[in-house]
Amino acid sequence: MKNIGIVGIGDWGKNLLRNFYNLSSGKLTLACDSDEKRLTAARATYNGLQTTNDFSDLIADDSIGSIVIGTPPSSHAELAIAAMEAGKDVFVEKPLALSVEDGERMVETAEKHNRILMVGHIMVYHTATLYLKNMIDSGELGDVYYMYASRVNLGKVRSIENAWWSFAPHDISIILYLLEKTPVRVTATGASYLQDGIEDVVFTTLHFADGKMAHIHVSWLDPQKDRKMTVVGSKKMVVFDDTEASEKIRIFDKGADKKQDYDTYADYLTLRTGDIVIPKIPGGEPLADECRHFLECVESRERPRSDGREGLRTLKVLRAAQESMEKGGAPIEIK
Ligand SMILES: NC(=O)c1ccc[n+]([C@@H]2O[C@H](COP(=O)([O-])OP(=O)(O)OC[C@H]3O[C@@H](n4cnc5c(N)ncnc54)[C@H](O)[C@@H]3O)[C@@H](O)[C@H]2O)c1
């Protein structure tokens, strides 16, 4: 395997640096950031790590085969395209880009140059998401009716992207992964309380062609930390609570069953409230699993679970919701 370079080792990028450095046995050789303080700290932590404040040094280094991008989203497209055109594979943090046009250019560049392009949809590498996916695919939940997610806390207030663009890629990527479909219509409303024009809180509904529905609530202005996804199926219901240390999934054997009265032949509903099961799910750091997956795909040349096309699907939902917000909650069709 060739060496790895990284650009953007800020609040989140330093976690990417740690994981890729450890997983690649020191093959992460060059880190780039425009902030000298970040570079000094990285050199002091990682033995043998070279640093630069100039991205073109990563591109020019022939020993580097892949580049990890942990910069803010406004620079993802430009950096990723330059890297892929120079023959490097790319891991780029979520969201893939800020416009669908940029996302499409990234996917086209990856395909044209036969490069691996993976977007950091960390939640599709989370063992609890994988457990939930298995439950759905095996039919244990029955027909999935609807799901809703909440990702709120009093957290890092960003000044370029709003809470929707910052948080919702996680929930959208889980929903699209679980349902294996793209919504046909999105409605969203949001409000800006702290900074003009940057929504702190957003409520979004995704509508699917087959009648399924998913709702997402994101906010960085909330008294409680919540990272929850509830999935309601015809047979069982599940709550995935990512704030729980170990009991992340609760399966409720609850539902409403349609029955028929054989005297009158009238339909009636019975409610079922059975056991609550908390399965044992392997722990670990989802980010490590995500980084490992990228390295494996670089070696095997297989399509990553969250490749550029998945990033683009999520991006289309992000954009449609943004447009809906700007139009006062009007429904926006996704083509
Ligand atoms: N997967 C997750 O759970 C998760 C969590 C937080 C953030 N993120 C994503 O990580 C990315 C970075 O977020 P963050 O919170 O670390 O931001 P940040 O502002 O803390 O860090 C960004 C870093 O990139 C550097 N940088 C920016 N442009 C550069 C350039 N052209 N060349 C070199 N260095 C450059 C900055 O100096 C800074 O150190 C975003 O895409 C964000 O959405 C993902």
Side-chain angles (χ1 to χ4, degrees):
M1 199 184 84
K2 288 184 94 175
N3 290 337
I4 305 166
I6 184 168
V7 56
I9 50 170
D11 289 348
W12 183 252
K14 63 180 194 279
N15 298 318
L16 294 169
L17 170 60
R18 169 175 53 81
N19 272 290
F20 277 114
Y21 184 88
N22 292 337
L23 289 167
S24 67
S25 326
K27 275 195 174 281
L28 199 165
T29 50
L30 186 57
C32 170
D33 201 293
S34 37
D35 182 341
E36 272 309 321
K37 288 198 292 295
R38 307 270 196 200
L39 299 180
T40 308
R43 276 195 309 272
T45 312
Y46 300 99
N47 230 342
L49 181 72
Q50 304 284 310
T51 61
T52 175
N53 56 18
D54 185 353
F55 178 67
S56 60
D57 289 342
L58 289 184
I59 297 286
D61 189 333
D62 288 335
S63 72
I64 289 179
S66 41
I67 294 185
V68 176
I69 302 174
T71 57
S74 53
S75 57
H76 288 178
E78 188 194 329
L79 299 177
I81 288 173
M84 291 186 287
E85 283 179 341
K88 323 276 190 200
D89 295 317
V90 166
F91 172 100
V92 60
E93 253 314 324
K94 59 82 195 163
L96 179 66
L98 291 180
S99 74
V100 172
E101 294 70 30
D102 275 351
E104 282 170 345
R105 283 196 305 124
M106 293 164 86
V107 170
E108 280 160 18
T109 309
E111 288 173 0
K112 181 173 166 204
H113 294 272
N114 200 17
R115 291 298 96 203
I116 300 284
L117 172 61
M118 172 164 154
V119 57
H121 286 169
I122 189 170
M123 293 307 291
V124 303
Y125 299 91
H126 195 305
T127 47
T129 308
L130 301 182
Y131 191 91
L132 200 45
K133 173 83 171 139
N134 269 335
M135 288 188 75
I136 291 174
D137 290 354
S138 70
E140 192 178 342
L141 298 191
D143 187 21
V144 172
Y145 289 148
Y146 74 95
M147 54 181 76
Y148 61 96
S150 150
R151 188 171 297 274
V152 302
N153 61 307
L154 194 62
K156 180 170 173 177
V157 176
R158 293 177 185 264
S159 52
I160 300 174
E161 75 265 34
N162 59 21
W164 172 248
W165 284 81
S166 179
F167 290 157
H170 294 306
D171 302 296
I172 299 169
S173 63
I174 302 175
I175 292 164
L176 301 193
Y177 176 62
L178 292 180
L179 295 182
E180 293 180 11
K181 351 179 127 71
T182 308
V184 289
R185 198 170 57 258
V186 173
T187 53
T189 47
S192 320
Y193 298 105
L194 303 179
Q195 302 168 93
D196 250 9
I198 298 175
E199 287 81 2
D200 311 293
V201 54
V202 178
F203 299 91
T204 299
T205 308
L206 318 184
H207 302 269
F208 293 83
D210 57 2
K212 292 190 198 325
M213 186 172 70
H215 186 264
I216 303 171
H217 170 202
V218 292
S219 171
W220 53 46
L221 187 59
D222 197 281
Q224 300 196 77
K225 180 165 178 166
D226 208 2
R227 298 276 182 276
K228 217 181 261 173
M229 165 95 51
T230 302
V231 182
V232 173
S234 56
K235 289 189 188 156
K236 289 182 184 172
M237 306 178 181
V238 179
V239 176
F240 166 16
D241 186 348
D242 208 9
T243 59
E244 286 280 344
S246 55
E247 299 177 355
K248 292 198 181 276
I249 292 246
R250 273 164 204 261
I251 306 161
F252 296 79
D253 185 8
K254 289 187 175 190
D257 299 323
K258 249 188 209 166
K259 301 248 164 89
Q260 198 172 52
D261 180 326
Y262 293 112
D263 291 330
T264 62
Y265 290 101
D267 286 337
Y268 67 98
L269 291 170
T270 59
L271 298 182
R272 181 169 32 79
T273 55
D275 292 338
I276 300 169
V277 174
I278 303 171
K280 189 165 164 43
I281 293 174
E285 187 185 5
L287 181 59
D289 291 341
E290 179 186 51
C291 296
R292 195 176 296 111
H293 183 73
F294 176 69
L295 297 177
E296 285 164 2
C297 290
V298 165
E299 280 293 272
S300 67
R301 310 311 294 169
E302 272 173 35
R303 190 178 78 87
R305 192 176 305 150
S306 55
D307 70 347
R309 290 208 166 268
E310 283 307 305
L312 189 56
R313 280 210 304 153
T314 296
L315 181 53
K316 285 183 178 172
V317 178
L318 286 165
R319 275 261 58 107
Q322 182 67 38
E323 190 182 337
S324 174
M325 257 187 281
E326 286 162 9
K327 292 181 174 162
I332 302 297
E333 307 289 327
I334 298 183
K335 305 206 176 61

